[in-house]
Each structure stands twice: as structure tokens, then as C-alpha cells.
Amino acid sequence: MRIALTIAGSDSGGGAGVQADLKTFHQFGVFGTSVITAVTAQNTVGVRAWEALPAGLVAHQIDALATDLPPDALKSGMLGSEELVETTAAGIARYALPHYVLDPVMVATSGDRLLEPAAEALIARRLVPLAELVTPNLDEARILVQDEVRTPDQMERAARALVRMGAQAALVKGGHLPGDEIVDVLVTDGAVRRFTRPRIDTTSTHGTGCTLSAGIVAGLALGRPLERAVADALDFVHRAIAAAPGLGRGGGHGPLNHFVPAPPRPPNDGL
């Protein structure tokens, strides 16, 4: 069985963060492990409080997994502070952990900040060059490349900039674009692909970015090519949003339905 690792924060509401990642790993048929970077007190309405774990404890978690349950692919999500960005970068480099997907979590779906502003530039400098794929939304892409990102053409330009910064590939997510169609732009070395799908009229979008990056990691752990791993994860997220259970008392952003089946696996997939 293949192993997928998430390095991220805990979401007490269960819709995002480590909880969403582990649910997604399970649906894709990979064994999920986790390094907890922070604990949040949140629900579908917002983040009430959060606190980062000590960097030493985060480093010990990485050491424990890398030496006994080494991942076939991994992601990072909420890191919270400069110190944890450094700790994560050092751990990935120390063990040469493969197929690293960087989800540069900076702000929750509710609008609450989940990263110290001083850590933003450090993510660009320390983690982007380690990544096989970076998956920013429009706001995160704007911060990382220091340029406006409001249209599909600007998304492509930002993705190319992230590749120049050292990432092997970049997927700029267009969920915040206006209109009835969502466009996500994937740029790899010398190739561009735009994924389009109709927008679903819903507020159940909590944890979409976490779920997407976890699905991509699961695909990479199973040995799928990057473009296919991205396509499969986008399909999974779209169906999980469409089947959202409508949890929460209203006025916020509910979770996805992580019980929808993952895309079917070919006969030799992950063997």
C-alpha cells in the first residue's frame, strides 16, 4: 500500500486541514500519515483561534515518519509561522521526500488569516523550489509572485513565474474568478493546460484547496502522471462540492462530501 503524508494544521470542524486530507487519502486508497503543525478552533462560520505547535515537535514528527513510514508523496498546508516554514523545508530536504505538493495556505475560506505575514516571502524562497507542484488560489498567487492575478491569462503568467522560481509545476486555482465558469491553469515545463467546469451555486466550499492538494498527492503516491493526478483531484473536488451534506447552522461555509468515490483506478495503478 502506498503512503501519503500531510503536513498541515488540524481543523476542529473536520472540513479542512489534516482531517480533510486524511479523508481524501482514504477515498483514493492510500495510507495517510500526518504531521500536525497547528491546532485551530474553527467551524463552518470561521476560525476562533489557532496556535502553532513548537517547531521541535513538528521536526520530530517528520523524523518519525521519514525513518519508518516514508511517504510516496506528500503535501504541506497550513504552516502558520516562519519557524515552521523553515522546519518543513529542512525536513523535506533532509530526507529528500518525493513528490512534494505545496498548498500555500495563507487565509481560510472564512477570510481568517492562517499565516504570519512575515512567513509569506519565506514560503516563496524556501518551499517553492522544493515543490513538484504549487497550488495557490488567486490571492496566494498574487502574494507569491507580487503581481495582479485576476484573469486566466494572469493566472498563466503567475504559474509561469512560480515555475521560474523553482517549482516543477504550478496550478493556479480559479475558484474566486467571477462568472459561471471556473478555470484552473496548470503550467508545467513547456506546457499549459486549462481545466474548466461550471460553477456550482453553493456555500459548501470549506476545505476545497486542502482536498484538492490531498487528491493530487494521493494520485502521485499511486504513481500517476502529474497532469492526470491533477485532473482526477479536480474531478473529485467538483463532485464532493456537488454532493455537500449541508452541515453547519448557516451563514458560513460548509464542508464538502468526502464520501464521494475517487476516480476509478486502472488495473495496475499503485501496484
Side-chain angles (χ1 to χ4, degrees):
M1 179 174 285
R2 300 296 179 90
I3 298 175
L5 166 63
T6 172
I7 303 174
S10 169
D11 172 11
S12 56
V18 165
Q19 286 82 349
D21 295 341
L22 293 177
K23 292 172 186 177
T24 302
F25 291 162
H26 178 84
Q27 288 302 93
F28 275 75
V30 297
F31 184 82
T33 59
S34 61
V35 169
I36 308 294
T37 59
V39 175
T40 70
Q42 65 177 300
N43 51 29
T44 63
V45 179
V47 179
R48 298 189 178 190
W50 67 269
E51 188 169 341
L53 268 64
L57 182 56
V58 171
H60 282 309
Q61 292 178 77
I62 295 173
D63 292 341
L65 295 174
T67 56
D68 183 52
L69 295 163
D72 296 290
L74 75 153
K75 63 162 283 188
S76 67
M78 178 187 179
L79 298 177
S81 69
E82 289 182 279
E83 192 173 17
L84 291 185
V85 171
E86 286 283 7
T87 298
T88 299
I92 293 171
R94 180 165 62 254
Y95 294 105
L97 299 180
H99 300 304
Y100 168 48
V101 174
L102 166 59
D103 182 10
V105 174
M106 297 176 182
V107 181
T109 302
S110 60
D112 298 288
R113 287 199 66 90
L114 297 174
L115 181 71
E116 295 173 356
E120 293 170 352
L122 196 60
I123 284 180
R125 188 168 69 252
R126 294 284 283 123
L127 291 178
V128 169
L130 296 173
E132 180 167 341
L133 179 70
V134 188
T135 64
N137 61 29
L138 299 184
D139 291 333
E140 292 159 351
R142 174 183 55 81
I143 291 169
L144 289 173
V145 304
Q146 294 293 292
D147 198 1
E148 286 299 321
V149 186
R150 297 181 183 177
T151 68
D153 286 345
Q154 290 175 338
M155 292 164 66
E156 181 178 331
R157 185 173 67 193
R160 290 185 184 279
L162 288 166
V163 171
R164 288 195 300 272
M165 290 163 61
Q168 294 180 44
L171 176 71
V172 179
K173 302 174 295 189
H176 296 158
L177 290 171
D180 297 329
E181 186 176 69
I182 293 176
V183 180
D184 301 297
V185 180
L186 174 66
V187 171
T188 57
D189 185 18
V192 179
R193 179 173 175 184
R194 295 189 181 187
F195 299 87
T196 60
R197 61 192 184 281
R199 185 182 300 277
I200 298 172
D201 185 16
T202 181
T203 57
S204 295
T205 56
H206 181 55
T208 51
C210 302
T211 302
L212 176 63
S213 57
I216 296 169
V217 166
L220 294 175
L222 290 167
R224 297 173 185 172
L226 177 62
E227 187 171 325
R228 185 180 156 212
V230 169
D232 285 350
L234 286 169
D235 171 67
F236 178 77
V237 169
H238 185 73
R239 289 184 288 107
I241 293 173
L247 300 179
R249 296 187 176 182
H253 296 273
L256 318 184
N257 183 355
H258 291 95
F259 288 104
V260 298
R265 295 170 59 174
N268 296 323
D269 197 21
L271 296 181

